[in-house]
Amino acid sequence: MEVEIPLFPLNLVAFPGEQLNLHIFEPRYKQLLKDCLEHQMSFGIPSYVLNKIDYGTEVEIVDVVKMYEDGRADISVQATQVFRVQEFKNPWKDRDYAGGSVEYVEMDFHEDMELKLRMLDLCQELFSWLQMEDRVPLDQDTTVFTVAHKIGLKLEEELELIKLPREVDRQHFIINHLKNILPALERAERAKERIRLNGHFKHLDPLKF
């Protein structure tokens, strides 16, 4: 089913469940914020990736952290549902901001526990290489979307991730990504070690012939 909602295009991908902090300063988005607060509306953040708008995520305003005298604002929003943009209109109706018709993607969050454990192991290995173990907790509540911003995905890869409706497919996506980048990290570390040794006196055992 298609619905029409206000749209705030950004060069990012918002994952369901994620909380974002936004600074609202353009006049058209000040108007959007005012409308959303007055009418208790949500709005969509379509991801502007590779010069196109295709998929995005609906968000709800959870807090107006600061409202400035000139109408600017710092707000906190919670990402909820993924959608596909059917029609993008800018401006939308009689408003200055964009909007359009979207179709919500029905997301399946049923995990494969074997895949989850494999994903967590690879994430732990990556975070150990990056010395990020203490900053990124991993436990049974960790999901694909929990770690997706922290494992080096390109923006277009993050967009591909929200296009996958099944959690199992998203788990495979993350696992394949990690299996590809971890060997590259190991090669880079070995190269750094060789560079550090270059130019230093080395203790070498003579070869015996």
Side-chain angles (χ1 to χ4, degrees), residues 26-181:
E26 286 189 52
R28 55 183 169 168
Y29 296 123
K30 292 179 190 176
Q31 184 187 66
L32 182 149
L33 175 60
K34 182 173 180 291
D35 288 348
C36 287
L37 292 174
E38 285 183 358
H39 303 289
Q40 298 184 320
M41 295 190 305
S42 57
F43 63 93
I45 298 182
S47 301
Y48 183 69
V49 180
L50 299 177
N51 298 317
K52 80 187 258 195
I53 287 174
D54 191 7
Y55 280 74
T57 314
E58 187 174 30
V59 300
E60 297 175 349
I61 300 170
V62 295
D63 189 21
V64 178
V65 179
K66 184 172 182 179
M67 183 69 76
Y68 299 86
E69 291 183 1
D70 61 2
R72 291 180 298 121
D74 297 326
I75 66 172
S76 179
V77 301
Q78 184 88 25
T80 56
Q81 303 181 78
V82 174
F83 58 76
R84 182 170 186 174
V85 179
Q86 300 298 315
E87 185 177 16
F88 181 77
K89 301 173 185 176
N90 188 23
W92 179 54
K93 299 181 178 179
D94 61 345
R95 315 312 287 159
D96 295 332
Y97 51 81
S101 59
V102 303
E103 184 175 6
Y104 294 111
V105 177
E106 188 174 342
M107 304 293 275
D108 170 24
F109 291 97
H110 291 92
E111 299 175 314
D112 181 300
M113 290 310 298
E114 185 176 342
L115 290 176
K116 178 166 187 167
L117 292 174
R118 177 63 175 147
M119 181 186 78
L120 292 177
D121 286 344
L122 290 170
C123 283
Q124 186 63 54
E125 187 177 347
L126 173 66
F127 297 153
S128 295
W129 276 105
L130 301 177
Q131 299 181 340
M132 291 171 53
E133 306 101 304
D134 297 335
R135 289 184 288 162
V136 187
L138 297 171
D139 53 40
Q140 288 303 308
D141 293 328
T142 301
T143 68
V144 165
F145 290 145
T146 306
V147 299
H149 282 315
K150 303 175 178 69
I151 58 172
L153 290 173
K154 298 176 184 176
L155 192 58
E156 54 268 33
E157 291 173 324
E158 291 186 346
L159 184 61
E160 286 303 311
L161 191 60
I162 68 166
K163 291 181 180 181
L164 298 174
R166 297 174 65 240
E167 182 73 359
V168 169
D169 293 332
R170 295 191 291 269
Q171 289 175 312
H172 278 297
F173 187 97
I174 296 297
I175 289 168
N176 289 336
H177 168 75
L178 292 169
K179 286 169 67 175
N180 285 331
I181 66 169

Side-chain angles (χ1 to χ4, degrees), residues 7-36:
L7 296 174
F8 185 174
L10 289 172
N11 187 226
L12 60 80
V13 174
F15 295 121
E18 179 182 3
Q19 188 162 309
L20 302 171
N21 297 318
L22 303 176
H23 178 63
I24 308 297
F25 62 92
E26 286 189 52
R28 55 183 169 168
Y29 296 123
K30 292 179 190 176
Q31 184 187 66
L32 182 149
L33 175 60
K34 182 173 180 291
D35 288 348
C36 287

